[in-house]
Amino acid sequence: MLNRLLAIFLFACLAFAGVAVAQADSTVAATVPADTSAAESAEADPGEEAEEVPADTAFQGDPLVKGKTGIRSIDTLPVNEWDIPTKRNSLGLTMLLSLFPGGGQYYTEHYVRGGFITGIELLLVYEVYFNKSWQKDRVLEQAQPFRDTVSMYSKLIRETQDRDSIAYYQGKRNEYANRVREKSDKKMEQEDLRYAENAWLFGLHLYGMMDAFGIWYNNNYRSVELRDMKTALLLGLIPGLGQMYNGEFGKAGLLYMGLIGAAASIRTSQNMVEYYLDRKHFLEKENSSSEELDRVTERVTYYRKNRNQYIWGVALIYLYSLGDAVVDALLSDFDNPTHFALLPTLTGGAQALFTLDF
């Protein structure tokens, strides 16, 4: 299956390259006519010295040599604008400042990336450590009147001898006890959600640090040499190693963030499934109302569905990481200018040549 997908991808690349070459050939040939006036003037006055061609516009060597097109304006373009080299090149400062949200990106002058990381981390910090604590206190505050009412009816049941009154008090006590359980269920859900969000926060911070390291690495050791796809696939069996092999440390950080967050969400969802199953068995033994039993059964189904979705998510993230490692290795030399050359034609125009090695 992987070979078929790879063959389809390569066929699409070849087709796209052929169309691009054909369009470039026709367009450039039409828009770059030969300078016939200069040739006619040269023939008319052979004694006059020809104007010297500036060195900047002349071809510098063979345009088919790897890494060179012969055009200075093209050969001097940045290889990858996402990782433009900067003067701030200290690994120690990059990693030290990356301990703060977005600090490594700010130091290496990637302010947009740093701003996104800082904003998202601060929102998660507020949600996990402030908003969730406020919600917990609010739930406890709302449950306190119900808890007091349960205590009151329990006291009345102990003190009353009349059977009819005891039955009435027992019914009211059970009613308010169910309200207390609902608040307790909500508190448990919030605590498990807080645990999962904390894991996502940790994963995001790990991504920020690995992305900062990736900026430093590409600033010093970026290479456009073709990497081996088989090696990338084998290393990709261990999550993140395939991306690191390709020099994509930021992608490895994103992968780890997804896996850590999804694994924590699987654990919290399973905890809630077990919690509500215990509640369901307890209600069945107590012969509780069908309404309360249906509510608990619905929560069991809900968290089972969440758990299964995160399990599928982990599997898809893992498979995607394998495909990403292979494709990045396949296209590792795509930024190499050797794949593009602009050559003159015999008709006086110009033609663009595009090649893809694989």
Side-chain angles (χ1 to χ4, degrees):
M1 183 63 180
L2 181 61
N3 292 335
R4 291 182 180 179
L5 292 176
L6 185 59
I8 293 173
F9 174 77
L10 296 178
F11 178 77
C13 291
L14 289 174
F16 175 77
V19 172
V21 170
Q23 290 179 349
D25 191 15
S26 59
T27 303
V28 175
T31 58
V32 187
D35 192 0
T36 55
S37 59
E40 291 176 356
S41 61
E43 291 177 359
D45 192 2
E48 186 177 351
E49 293 184 1
E51 185 178 355
E52 184 179 355
V53 179
D56 289 345
T57 58
F59 280 81
Q60 304 295 325
D62 187 353
L64 295 181
V65 175
K66 276 205 168 189
K68 299 293 180 182
T69 64
I71 303 174
R72 184 182 296 273
S73 59
I74 294 178
D75 292 340
T76 56
L77 285 174
V79 176
N80 191 330
E81 294 184 357
W82 183 251
D83 290 322
I84 297 176
T86 64
K87 295 180 180 179
R88 299 176 181 177
N89 203 29
S90 170
L91 175 60
L93 284 176
T94 299
M95 299 311 299
L96 179 63
L97 292 174
S98 68
L99 295 174
F100 302 95
Q105 285 73 17
Y106 295 137
Y107 171 74
T108 54
E109 300 179 358
H110 290 76
Y111 303 109
V112 175
R113 293 158 76 172
F116 275 111
I117 294 173
T118 301
I120 297 174
E121 280 204 50
L122 290 179
L123 286 175
L124 279 175
V125 167
Y126 167 76
E127 173 65 20
V128 173
Y129 295 105
F130 296 96
N131 190 41
K132 281 292 184 290
S133 296
W134 176 79
Q135 290 179 358
K136 177 183 177 181
D137 294 339
R138 185 167 179 266
V139 169
L140 293 176
E141 182 181 351
Q142 291 174 345
Q144 188 59 45
F146 301 132
R147 198 176 288 114
D148 294 340
T149 305
V150 170
S151 299
M152 181 191 71
Y153 280 112
S154 298
K155 182 178 179 181
L156 291 174
I157 291 172
R158 291 193 301 268
E159 296 175 352
T160 303
Q161 302 297 327
D162 182 35
R163 292 184 178 181
D164 293 336
S165 299
I166 291 176
Y168 172 77
Y169 293 151
Q170 185 66 40
K172 297 298 289 185
R173 179 187 179 280
N174 292 339
E175 177 185 344
Y176 284 100
N178 287 335
R179 302 292 296 273
V180 172
R181 292 190 187 104
E182 289 179 8
K183 296 300 180 181
S184 178
D185 294 344
K186 188 173 182 180
K187 176 178 172 293
M188 285 293 299
E189 291 179 0
Q190 289 178 349
E191 286 297 319
D192 271 10
L193 181 59
R194 180 178 182 176
Y195 177 85
E197 289 176 344
N198 201 26
W200 283 100
L201 175 62
F202 173 77
L204 177 61
H205 193 72
L206 179 62
Y207 158 71
M209 296 185 66
M210 294 192 68
D211 181 65
F213 177 79
I215 294 173
W216 175 86
Y217 181 85
N218 288 323
N219 196 19
N220 291 272
Y221 303 107
R222 182 171 181 84
S223 172
V224 292
E225 295 298 324
L226 183 64
R227 295 182 177 88
D228 182 54
M229 286 193 301
K230 184 177 180 181
T231 303
L233 178 61
L234 293 176
L235 290 174
L237 295 175
I238 301 176
L241 290 189
Q243 283 69 28
M244 294 181 191
Y245 171 73
N246 292 321
E248 300 289 349
F249 291 91
K251 284 186 178 181
L254 279 176
L255 174 62
Y256 290 139
M257 180 183 70
L259 292 177
I260 291 172
S265 298
I266 291 172
R267 177 183 174 184
T268 57
S269 296
Q270 180 61 29
N271 287 342
M272 293 309 302
V273 168
E274 295 174 358
Y275 171 78
Y276 277 114
L277 281 177
D278 291 340
R279 290 269 286 108
K280 180 181 178 181
H281 297 155
F282 176 77
L283 291 174
E284 289 173 345
K285 292 178 180 179
E286 275 195 339
N287 295 322
S288 300
S289 64
S290 59
E291 181 180 350
E292 178 68 11
L293 190 59
D294 290 343
R295 185 186 72 84
V296 172
T297 302
E298 185 272 333
R299 301 311 289 171
V300 172
T301 304
Y302 172 79
Y303 280 104
R304 275 179 174 167
K305 183 179 179 181
N306 274 6
R307 178 200 60 193
N308 295 341
Q309 287 177 342
Y310 280 113
I311 291 174
W312 280 108
V314 168
L316 291 176
I317 290 174
Y318 180 72
L319 293 176
Y320 171 79
S321 70
L322 290 176
D324 177 75
V326 172
V327 171
D328 274 353
L330 173 67
L331 301 178
S332 56
D333 66 338
F334 187 81
D335 285 334
N336 195 324
T338 186
H339 294 98
F340 179 79
L342 189 65
L343 301 175
T345 62
L346 297 178
T347 59
Q351 63 178 343
L353 298 180
F354 179 82
T355 61
L356 179 64
D357 297 334
F358 54 94

